[in-house]
């Protein structure tokens, strides 16, 4: 059975909607296991799971993290 694929057409670009082709559990596991350092894993997790932009992640400093309060201060759009 074929999986229907939907595309968003914008000018010359075609974007596949990721919701149309979900990843299997093995693919998700391979993605998360592909990171070689905890730093890279943390950066990907902040962007994917917490919605941070790459520019916001790249501006983070160790001083922005408070483990005792489980808080991460992020400056971004709208501060």
């Amino acid at each position: 059975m074929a999986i229907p694929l939907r595309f968003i057409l914008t000018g010359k670009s075609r974007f596949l909607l990721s919701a149309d082709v979900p990843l299997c559990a093995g693919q998700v596991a391979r993605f998360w296991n592909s990171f070689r350092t905890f730093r890279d894993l943390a950066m990907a997790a902040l962007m994917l799971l917490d919605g941070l932009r790459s520019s916001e992640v790249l501006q983070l400093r160790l001083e922005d993290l408070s483990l005792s309060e489980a808080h991460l201060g992020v400056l971004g759009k709208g501060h």
Side-chain angles (χ1 to χ4, degrees), residues 59-71:
Q59 291 178 21
L60 289 174
R61 299 167 298 159
L62 191 55
E63 298 82 37
D64 298 327
L65 177 64
S66 173
L67 292 176
S68 62
E69 297 177 19
H71 176 79

Side-chain angles (χ1 to χ4, degrees), residues 14-66:
R14 297 178 76 176
F15 299 97
L16 178 65
L17 296 177
S18 60
D20 291 335
V21 185
L23 299 176
C24 70
Q27 291 170 315
V28 172
R30 274 196 308 276
F31 170 75
W32 287 116
N33 291 328
S34 69
F35 297 99
R36 296 179 181 209
T37 66
F38 287 118
R39 174 188 170 268
D40 294 343
L41 178 62
M43 290 173 70
L46 286 169
M47 289 185 283
L48 289 171
L49 303 176
D50 293 322
L52 270 65
R53 297 173 180 87
S54 59
S55 60
E56 294 167 340
V57 172
L58 292 172
Q59 291 178 21
L60 289 174
R61 299 167 298 159
L62 191 55
E63 298 82 37
D64 298 327
L65 177 64
S66 173

